Amino acid sequence: MFLDMTQGAVASTLSVSTAPLPDHQYETVRHLLFGSLTAVRLTIQDLHKKRYAEPNDWSKPISTGRPNEVMAILTKRVAIKP
């Protein structure tokens, strides 16, 4: 997990292997981004540039009930390296 103070959003990232692995070596993870709408969008774009996830894979921004704060959710299967 990392905190990017320049964008104001929190995200977690994992290395993803492109080699096919048996099913037992995958795990489903959920990433949650919290921050301003701009910060969340910029973080999603940054993760897309790093080829981690497509922007359309994320949920639409959801209000958290706090002023000027939204969250976006990504659920993804990632390869777990032994």
Short mmCIF file of all heavy atoms in Angstrom, two decimals, residues 15-70:
data_model
loop_
_atom_site.label_atom_id
_atom_site.label_comp_id
_atom_site.label_asym_id
_atom_site.label_seq_id
_atom_site.Cartn_x
_atom_site.Cartn_y
_atom_site.Cartn_z
N SER A 15 2.45 -6.85 -7.49
CA SER A 15 3.04 -7.29 -8.75
C SER A 15 2.16 -8.38 -9.34
O SER A 15 1.68 -9.25 -8.62
CB SER A 15 4.43 -7.86 -8.50
OG SER A 15 5.28 -6.88 -8.00
N VAL A 16 1.95 -8.32 -10.63
CA VAL A 16 1.10 -9.29 -11.30
C VAL A 16 1.94 -10.04 -12.33
O VAL A 16 2.57 -9.43 -13.18
CB VAL A 16 -0.09 -8.61 -11.99
CG1 VAL A 16 -0.94 -9.63 -12.72
CG2 VAL A 16 -0.92 -7.86 -10.98
N SER A 17 1.96 -11.35 -12.22
CA SER A 17 2.69 -12.18 -13.16
C SER A 17 1.85 -12.40 -14.41
O SER A 17 0.64 -12.58 -14.33
CB SER A 17 3.00 -13.53 -12.52
OG SER A 17 3.56 -14.40 -13.47
N THR A 18 2.48 -12.39 -15.58
CA THR A 18 1.75 -12.64 -16.82
C THR A 18 1.77 -14.13 -17.19
O THR A 18 1.04 -14.55 -18.06
CB THR A 18 2.34 -11.82 -17.97
OG1 THR A 18 3.72 -12.13 -18.09
CG2 THR A 18 2.14 -10.34 -17.74
N ALA A 19 2.62 -14.91 -16.53
CA ALA A 19 2.69 -16.34 -16.82
C ALA A 19 1.47 -17.05 -16.23
O ALA A 19 1.06 -16.76 -15.11
CB ALA A 19 3.97 -16.93 -16.24
N PRO A 20 0.87 -17.99 -16.97
CA PRO A 20 -0.29 -18.70 -16.43
C PRO A 20 0.12 -19.59 -15.26
O PRO A 20 1.15 -20.27 -15.30
CB PRO A 20 -0.79 -19.54 -17.61
CG PRO A 20 0.32 -19.57 -18.59
CD PRO A 20 1.20 -18.39 -18.32
N LEU A 21 -0.67 -19.56 -14.22
CA LEU A 21 -0.42 -20.35 -13.02
C LEU A 21 -1.68 -21.14 -12.68
O LEU A 21 -2.78 -20.74 -13.04
CB LEU A 21 -0.05 -19.45 -11.83
CG LEU A 21 1.20 -18.59 -11.99
CD1 LEU A 21 1.31 -17.63 -10.82
CD2 LEU A 21 2.43 -19.47 -12.04
N PRO A 22 -1.54 -22.25 -11.95
CA PRO A 22 -2.73 -22.98 -11.53
C PRO A 22 -3.62 -22.09 -10.66
O PRO A 22 -3.15 -21.15 -10.03
CB PRO A 22 -2.16 -24.14 -10.70
CG PRO A 22 -0.73 -24.26 -11.11
CD PRO A 22 -0.31 -22.89 -11.54
N ASP A 23 -4.92 -22.42 -10.61
CA ASP A 23 -5.88 -21.60 -9.87
C ASP A 23 -5.51 -21.36 -8.42
O ASP A 23 -5.80 -20.31 -7.87
CB ASP A 23 -7.27 -22.22 -9.92
CG ASP A 23 -7.97 -21.90 -11.23
OD1 ASP A 23 -7.52 -20.98 -11.93
OD2 ASP A 23 -8.97 -22.55 -11.52
N HIS A 24 -4.88 -22.34 -7.76
CA HIS A 24 -4.57 -22.18 -6.35
C HIS A 24 -3.50 -21.12 -6.10
O HIS A 24 -3.25 -20.76 -4.97
CB HIS A 24 -4.18 -23.52 -5.72
CG HIS A 24 -2.86 -24.04 -6.21
ND1 HIS A 24 -2.73 -24.72 -7.41
CD2 HIS A 24 -1.62 -23.96 -5.69
CE1 HIS A 24 -1.46 -25.05 -7.59
NE2 HIS A 24 -0.77 -24.60 -6.56
N GLN A 25 -2.88 -20.60 -7.15
CA GLN A 25 -1.86 -19.58 -6.99
C GLN A 25 -2.38 -18.18 -7.34
O GLN A 25 -1.62 -17.27 -7.59
CB GLN A 25 -0.62 -19.92 -7.81
CG GLN A 25 0.09 -21.15 -7.28
CD GLN A 25 1.35 -21.46 -8.04
OE1 GLN A 25 1.41 -21.30 -9.25
NE2 GLN A 25 2.37 -21.89 -7.32
N TYR A 26 -3.68 -18.02 -7.34
CA TYR A 26 -4.30 -16.72 -7.54
C TYR A 26 -5.10 -16.37 -6.30
O TYR A 26 -5.58 -17.23 -5.59
CB TYR A 26 -5.27 -16.75 -8.74
CG TYR A 26 -4.59 -16.68 -10.07
CD1 TYR A 26 -4.18 -17.83 -10.72
CD2 TYR A 26 -4.36 -15.46 -10.68
CE1 TYR A 26 -3.55 -17.76 -11.96
CE2 TYR A 26 -3.74 -15.39 -11.92
CZ TYR A 26 -3.34 -16.54 -12.54
OH TYR A 26 -2.72 -16.47 -13.77
N GLU A 27 -5.20 -15.08 -6.07
CA GLU A 27 -6.00 -14.61 -4.95
C GLU A 27 -6.81 -13.40 -5.42
O GLU A 27 -6.34 -12.59 -6.21
CB GLU A 27 -5.09 -14.20 -3.80
CG GLU A 27 -5.84 -13.81 -2.56
CD GLU A 27 -4.92 -13.54 -1.39
OE1 GLU A 27 -3.87 -14.21 -1.28
OE2 GLU A 27 -5.24 -12.66 -0.60
N THR A 28 -8.04 -13.32 -4.96
CA THR A 28 -8.87 -12.17 -5.28
C THR A 28 -8.59 -11.08 -4.26
O THR A 28 -8.62 -11.33 -3.06
CB THR A 28 -10.36 -12.54 -5.26
OG1 THR A 28 -10.57 -13.58 -6.22
CG2 THR A 28 -11.23 -11.36 -5.60
N VAL A 29 -8.26 -9.90 -4.75
CA VAL A 29 -7.99 -8.76 -3.87
C VAL A 29 -8.94 -7.62 -4.23
O VAL A 29 -9.40 -7.51 -5.37
CB VAL A 29 -6.53 -8.27 -3.95
CG1 VAL A 29 -5.58 -9.33 -3.44
CG2 VAL A 29 -6.17 -7.86 -5.35
N ARG A 30 -9.22 -6.80 -3.26
CA ARG A 30 -10.07 -5.62 -3.49
C ARG A 30 -9.25 -4.39 -3.13
O ARG A 30 -8.70 -4.30 -2.04
CB ARG A 30 -11.32 -5.70 -2.63
CG ARG A 30 -12.24 -4.52 -2.85
CD ARG A 30 -13.58 -4.72 -2.23
NE ARG A 30 -14.28 -5.73 -3.02
CZ ARG A 30 -15.18 -6.56 -2.52
NH1 ARG A 30 -15.50 -6.51 -1.26
NH2 ARG A 30 -15.76 -7.44 -3.29
N HIS A 31 -9.18 -3.47 -4.07
CA HIS A 31 -8.48 -2.21 -3.87
C HIS A 31 -9.52 -1.12 -3.66
O HIS A 31 -10.50 -1.03 -4.42
CB HIS A 31 -7.63 -1.84 -5.09
CG HIS A 31 -6.60 -2.85 -5.43
ND1 HIS A 31 -5.44 -2.99 -4.72
CD2 HIS A 31 -6.56 -3.79 -6.41
CE1 HIS A 31 -4.71 -3.96 -5.26
NE2 HIS A 31 -5.37 -4.47 -6.28
N LEU A 32 -9.31 -0.30 -2.66
CA LEU A 32 -10.20 0.83 -2.39
C LEU A 32 -9.39 2.11 -2.48
O LEU A 32 -8.32 2.21 -1.87
CB LEU A 32 -10.80 0.72 -0.99
CG LEU A 32 -11.56 -0.57 -0.67
CD1 LEU A 32 -11.88 -0.63 0.81
CD2 LEU A 32 -12.82 -0.65 -1.49
N LEU A 33 -9.88 3.07 -3.24
CA LEU A 33 -9.25 4.39 -3.32
C LEU A 33 -10.15 5.39 -2.63
O LEU A 33 -11.35 5.42 -2.90
CB LEU A 33 -9.08 4.83 -4.77
CG LEU A 33 -8.07 4.13 -5.64
CD1 LEU A 33 -8.13 4.71 -7.06
CD2 LEU A 33 -6.68 4.30 -5.08
N PHE A 34 -9.59 6.19 -1.76
CA PHE A 34 -10.33 7.25 -1.08
C PHE A 34 -9.65 8.58 -1.36
O PHE A 34 -8.42 8.66 -1.32
CB PHE A 34 -10.35 7.04 0.44
CG PHE A 34 -11.14 5.85 0.88
CD1 PHE A 34 -10.54 4.62 0.99
CD2 PHE A 34 -12.47 5.97 1.18
CE1 PHE A 34 -11.25 3.51 1.39
CE2 PHE A 34 -13.20 4.87 1.59
CZ PHE A 34 -12.59 3.64 1.70
N GLY A 35 -10.40 9.60 -1.61
CA GLY A 35 -9.84 10.92 -1.81
C GLY A 35 -10.81 11.80 -2.57
O GLY A 35 -11.97 11.44 -2.78
N SER A 36 -10.33 12.95 -3.01
CA SER A 36 -11.17 13.82 -3.82
C SER A 36 -11.40 13.14 -5.17
O SER A 36 -10.66 12.24 -5.57
CB SER A 36 -10.50 15.18 -4.02
OG SER A 36 -9.37 15.04 -4.86
N LEU A 37 -12.43 13.58 -5.87
CA LEU A 37 -12.73 12.99 -7.18
C LEU A 37 -11.53 13.12 -8.11
O LEU A 37 -11.16 12.16 -8.79
CB LEU A 37 -13.95 13.68 -7.79
CG LEU A 37 -14.40 13.17 -9.15
CD1 LEU A 37 -14.74 11.67 -9.10
CD2 LEU A 37 -15.59 13.97 -9.65
N THR A 38 -10.87 14.26 -8.10
CA THR A 38 -9.70 14.47 -8.94
C THR A 38 -8.57 13.53 -8.57
O THR A 38 -7.94 12.91 -9.43
CB THR A 38 -9.21 15.94 -8.84
OG1 THR A 38 -10.28 16.79 -9.23
CG2 THR A 38 -8.00 16.17 -9.72
N ALA A 39 -8.30 13.38 -7.27
CA ALA A 39 -7.22 12.50 -6.82
C ALA A 39 -7.48 11.05 -7.17
O ALA A 39 -6.58 10.34 -7.61
CB ALA A 39 -7.02 12.65 -5.31
N VAL A 40 -8.71 10.62 -7.01
CA VAL A 40 -9.06 9.23 -7.34
C VAL A 40 -8.90 9.00 -8.84
O VAL A 40 -8.31 8.00 -9.26
CB VAL A 40 -10.49 8.90 -6.86
CG1 VAL A 40 -10.98 7.60 -7.44
CG2 VAL A 40 -10.53 8.86 -5.33
N ARG A 41 -9.39 9.92 -9.65
CA ARG A 41 -9.26 9.76 -11.11
C ARG A 41 -7.79 9.75 -11.55
O ARG A 41 -7.39 8.95 -12.39
CB ARG A 41 -10.01 10.87 -11.83
CG ARG A 41 -11.51 10.67 -11.80
CD ARG A 41 -12.23 11.74 -12.57
NE ARG A 41 -13.66 11.46 -12.62
CZ ARG A 41 -14.58 12.35 -12.93
NH1 ARG A 41 -14.22 13.59 -13.22
NH2 ARG A 41 -15.85 12.02 -12.95
N LEU A 42 -6.97 10.63 -10.97
CA LEU A 42 -5.55 10.66 -11.33
C LEU A 42 -4.84 9.38 -10.91
O LEU A 42 -3.98 8.87 -11.64
CB LEU A 42 -4.87 11.88 -10.69
CG LEU A 42 -5.24 13.24 -11.30
CD1 LEU A 42 -4.65 14.37 -10.46
CD2 LEU A 42 -4.79 13.34 -12.73
N THR A 43 -5.20 8.83 -9.77
CA THR A 43 -4.58 7.58 -9.31
C THR A 43 -4.97 6.42 -10.22
O THR A 43 -4.14 5.59 -10.58
CB THR A 43 -4.97 7.29 -7.86
OG1 THR A 43 -4.58 8.40 -7.05
CG2 THR A 43 -4.30 6.02 -7.35
N ILE A 44 -6.24 6.38 -10.63
CA ILE A 44 -6.69 5.34 -11.56
C ILE A 44 -5.95 5.46 -12.89
O ILE A 44 -5.50 4.46 -13.46
CB ILE A 44 -8.22 5.41 -11.75
CG1 ILE A 44 -8.92 4.94 -10.46
CG2 ILE A 44 -8.67 4.57 -12.95
CD1 ILE A 44 -10.41 5.17 -10.44
N GLN A 45 -5.78 6.69 -13.38
CA GLN A 45 -5.02 6.89 -14.62
C GLN A 45 -3.57 6.45 -14.46
O GLN A 45 -2.99 5.84 -15.37
CB GLN A 45 -5.06 8.37 -15.03
CG GLN A 45 -6.40 8.82 -15.55
CD GLN A 45 -6.44 10.32 -15.82
OE1 GLN A 45 -5.45 11.03 -15.66
NE2 GLN A 45 -7.60 10.81 -16.23
N ASP A 46 -2.97 6.75 -13.31
CA ASP A 46 -1.58 6.35 -13.06
C ASP A 46 -1.45 4.83 -13.03
O ASP A 46 -0.51 4.27 -13.61
CB ASP A 46 -1.10 6.95 -11.74
CG ASP A 46 0.38 6.73 -11.50
OD1 ASP A 46 1.18 6.95 -12.43
OD2 ASP A 46 0.73 6.34 -10.37
N LEU A 47 -2.38 4.13 -12.39
CA LEU A 47 -2.34 2.67 -12.35
C LEU A 47 -2.57 2.08 -13.74
O LEU A 47 -2.02 1.04 -14.08
CB LEU A 47 -3.35 2.13 -11.34
CG LEU A 47 -3.02 2.42 -9.88
CD1 LEU A 47 -4.19 2.04 -8.98
CD2 LEU A 47 -1.75 1.70 -9.47
N HIS A 48 -3.35 2.76 -14.56
CA HIS A 48 -3.55 2.32 -15.94
C HIS A 48 -2.26 2.47 -16.74
O HIS A 48 -1.86 1.56 -17.48
CB HIS A 48 -4.67 3.12 -16.60
CG HIS A 48 -4.83 2.85 -18.06
ND1 HIS A 48 -5.22 1.62 -18.54
CD2 HIS A 48 -4.64 3.63 -19.14
CE1 HIS A 48 -5.26 1.66 -19.87
NE2 HIS A 48 -4.91 2.88 -20.24
N LYS A 49 -1.55 3.59 -16.56
CA LYS A 49 -0.27 3.80 -17.26
C LYS A 49 0.74 2.73 -16.86
O LYS A 49 1.60 2.35 -17.65
CB LYS A 49 0.28 5.18 -16.94
CG LYS A 49 -0.47 6.30 -17.61
CD LYS A 49 0.10 7.65 -17.20
CE LYS A 49 -0.77 8.78 -17.71
NZ LYS A 49 -0.32 10.08 -17.18
N LYS A 50 0.64 2.26 -15.62
CA LYS A 50 1.54 1.20 -15.14
C LYS A 50 1.04 -0.19 -15.53
O LYS A 50 1.60 -1.20 -15.12
CB LYS A 50 1.70 1.31 -13.63
CG LYS A 50 2.41 2.58 -13.22
CD LYS A 50 2.49 2.72 -11.72
CE LYS A 50 3.20 4.04 -11.41
NZ LYS A 50 3.29 4.30 -10.00
N ARG A 51 -0.05 -0.22 -16.30
CA ARG A 51 -0.65 -1.46 -16.82
C ARG A 51 -1.15 -2.39 -15.72
O ARG A 51 -1.14 -3.61 -15.86
CB ARG A 51 0.32 -2.20 -17.74
CG ARG A 51 0.68 -1.36 -18.95
CD ARG A 51 1.61 -2.07 -19.85
NE ARG A 51 1.90 -1.21 -21.01
CZ ARG A 51 2.51 -1.62 -22.07
NH1 ARG A 51 2.90 -2.86 -22.16
NH2 ARG A 51 2.73 -0.78 -23.06
N TYR A 52 -1.62 -1.80 -14.64
CA TYR A 52 -2.16 -2.62 -13.56
C TYR A 52 -3.64 -2.90 -13.74
O TYR A 52 -4.10 -4.01 -13.50
CB TYR A 52 -1.92 -1.97 -12.19
CG TYR A 52 -2.39 -2.86 -11.08
CD1 TYR A 52 -1.70 -4.03 -10.79
CD2 TYR A 52 -3.53 -2.57 -10.36
CE1 TYR A 52 -2.13 -4.89 -9.81
CE2 TYR A 52 -3.97 -3.42 -9.37
CZ TYR A 52 -3.27 -4.57 -9.10
OH TYR A 52 -3.72 -5.43 -8.13
N ALA A 53 -4.41 -1.90 -14.17
CA ALA A 53 -5.85 -2.09 -14.33
C ALA A 53 -6.39 -1.08 -15.33
O ALA A 53 -5.90 0.04 -15.42
CB ALA A 53 -6.57 -1.93 -13.00
N GLU A 54 -7.40 -1.50 -16.07
CA GLU A 54 -8.06 -0.61 -17.00
C GLU A 54 -8.98 0.34 -16.23
O GLU A 54 -9.57 -0.06 -15.22
CB GLU A 54 -8.91 -1.41 -18.00
CG GLU A 54 -8.10 -2.28 -18.94
CD GLU A 54 -7.28 -1.45 -19.91
OE1 GLU A 54 -7.77 -0.41 -20.39
OE2 GLU A 54 -6.13 -1.84 -20.19
N PRO A 55 -9.10 1.58 -16.67
CA PRO A 55 -9.99 2.51 -15.97
C PRO A 55 -11.43 2.00 -15.83
O PRO A 55 -12.07 2.24 -14.81
CB PRO A 55 -9.93 3.77 -16.84
CG PRO A 55 -8.59 3.71 -17.49
CD PRO A 55 -8.35 2.24 -17.73
N ASN A 56 -11.91 1.27 -16.83
CA ASN A 56 -13.29 0.75 -16.77
C ASN A 56 -13.45 -0.41 -15.79
O ASN A 56 -14.57 -0.82 -15.51
CB ASN A 56 -13.77 0.33 -18.15
CG ASN A 56 -13.99 1.51 -19.06
OD1 ASN A 56 -14.23 2.63 -18.61
ND2 ASN A 56 -13.89 1.28 -20.35
N ASP A 57 -12.34 -0.95 -15.28
CA ASP A 57 -12.42 -2.03 -14.30
C ASP A 57 -12.81 -1.51 -12.91
O ASP A 57 -13.24 -2.27 -12.06
CB ASP A 57 -11.08 -2.77 -14.18
CG ASP A 57 -10.73 -3.52 -15.46
OD1 ASP A 57 -11.63 -3.77 -16.29
OD2 ASP A 57 -9.54 -3.87 -15.62
N TRP A 58 -12.63 -0.21 -12.67
CA TRP A 58 -12.95 0.41 -11.38
C TRP A 58 -14.44 0.74 -11.32
O TRP A 58 -15.07 1.00 -12.34
CB TRP A 58 -12.14 1.70 -11.21
CG TRP A 58 -10.68 1.46 -11.04
CD1 TRP A 58 -9.75 1.33 -12.03
CD2 TRP A 58 -9.98 1.32 -9.81
NE1 TRP A 58 -8.51 1.11 -11.49
CE2 TRP A 58 -8.62 1.11 -10.13
CE3 TRP A 58 -10.36 1.36 -8.47
CZ2 TRP A 58 -7.65 0.93 -9.16
CZ3 TRP A 58 -9.39 1.20 -7.50
CH2 TRP A 58 -8.06 0.98 -7.84
N SER A 59 -14.97 0.76 -10.12
CA SER A 59 -16.35 1.21 -9.95
C SER A 59 -16.44 2.69 -10.26
O SER A 59 -15.44 3.41 -10.28
CB SER A 59 -16.81 0.96 -8.51
OG SER A 59 -16.16 1.86 -7.62
N LYS A 60 -17.65 3.16 -10.49
CA LYS A 60 -17.86 4.60 -10.60
C LYS A 60 -17.58 5.19 -9.22
O LYS A 60 -17.76 4.51 -8.20
CB LYS A 60 -19.28 4.90 -11.03
CG LYS A 60 -19.56 4.47 -12.45
CD LYS A 60 -20.97 4.82 -12.86
CE LYS A 60 -21.20 4.38 -14.31
NZ LYS A 60 -22.54 4.69 -14.77
N PRO A 61 -17.13 6.45 -9.16
CA PRO A 61 -16.88 7.06 -7.85
C PRO A 61 -18.14 7.04 -6.98
O PRO A 61 -19.24 7.35 -7.44
CB PRO A 61 -16.48 8.50 -8.20
CG PRO A 61 -15.95 8.41 -9.59
CD PRO A 61 -16.76 7.34 -10.26
N ILE A 62 -17.96 6.64 -5.73
CA ILE A 62 -19.05 6.52 -4.77
C ILE A 62 -18.80 7.53 -3.65
O ILE A 62 -17.71 7.56 -3.08
CB ILE A 62 -19.09 5.10 -4.17
CG1 ILE A 62 -19.21 4.06 -5.28
CG2 ILE A 62 -20.21 4.96 -3.15
CD1 ILE A 62 -18.85 2.66 -4.84
N SER A 63 -19.80 8.32 -3.33
CA SER A 63 -19.65 9.29 -2.25
C SER A 63 -19.47 8.56 -0.92
O SER A 63 -20.15 7.56 -0.65
CB SER A 63 -20.88 10.19 -2.17
OG SER A 63 -20.78 11.04 -1.05
N THR A 64 -18.56 9.05 -0.08
CA THR A 64 -18.34 8.44 1.24
C THR A 64 -19.20 9.12 2.31
O THR A 64 -19.21 8.68 3.45
CB THR A 64 -16.87 8.55 1.66
OG1 THR A 64 -16.52 9.93 1.79
CG2 THR A 64 -15.96 7.86 0.68
N GLY A 65 -19.85 10.20 1.95
CA GLY A 65 -20.62 10.95 2.93
C GLY A 65 -19.82 12.08 3.55
O GLY A 65 -20.38 12.92 4.26
N ARG A 66 -18.54 12.10 3.33
CA ARG A 66 -17.70 13.19 3.81
C ARG A 66 -17.62 14.24 2.70
O ARG A 66 -17.60 13.89 1.52
CB ARG A 66 -16.31 12.69 4.15
CG ARG A 66 -16.29 11.75 5.31
CD ARG A 66 -14.88 11.32 5.62
NE ARG A 66 -14.87 10.46 6.80
CZ ARG A 66 -13.88 9.67 7.12
NH1 ARG A 66 -12.81 9.63 6.35
NH2 ARG A 66 -13.95 8.93 8.20
N PRO A 67 -17.51 15.51 3.07
CA PRO A 67 -17.43 16.55 2.04
C PRO A 67 -16.24 16.33 1.09
O PRO A 67 -15.13 16.08 1.53
CB PRO A 67 -17.24 17.84 2.84
CG PRO A 67 -17.75 17.51 4.21
CD PRO A 67 -17.49 16.05 4.41
N ASN A 68 -16.52 16.41 -0.20
CA ASN A 68 -15.50 16.31 -1.26
C ASN A 68 -14.69 15.02 -1.22
O ASN A 68 -13.53 15.00 -1.64
CB ASN A 68 -14.55 17.51 -1.20
CG ASN A 68 -15.28 18.82 -1.36
OD1 ASN A 68 -16.16 18.93 -2.21
ND2 ASN A 68 -14.95 19.80 -0.54
N GLU A 69 -15.26 13.93 -0.72
CA GLU A 69 -14.53 12.65 -0.70
C GLU A 69 -15.36 11.59 -1.41
O GLU A 69 -16.56 11.48 -1.19
CB GLU A 69 -14.24 12.20 0.73
CG GLU A 69 -13.40 10.92 0.75
CD GLU A 69 -13.10 10.45 2.16
OE1 GLU A 69 -14.04 9.97 2.83
OE2 GLU A 69 -11.95 10.57 2.57
N VAL A 70 -14.67 10.82 -2.27
CA VAL A 70 -15.29 9.68 -2.94
C VAL A 70 -14.38 8.48 -2.78
O VAL A 70 -13.23 8.60 -2.34
CB VAL A 70 -15.52 9.96 -4.45
CG1 VAL A 70 -16.47 11.11 -4.66
CG2 VAL A 70 -14.21 10.19 -5.17
#
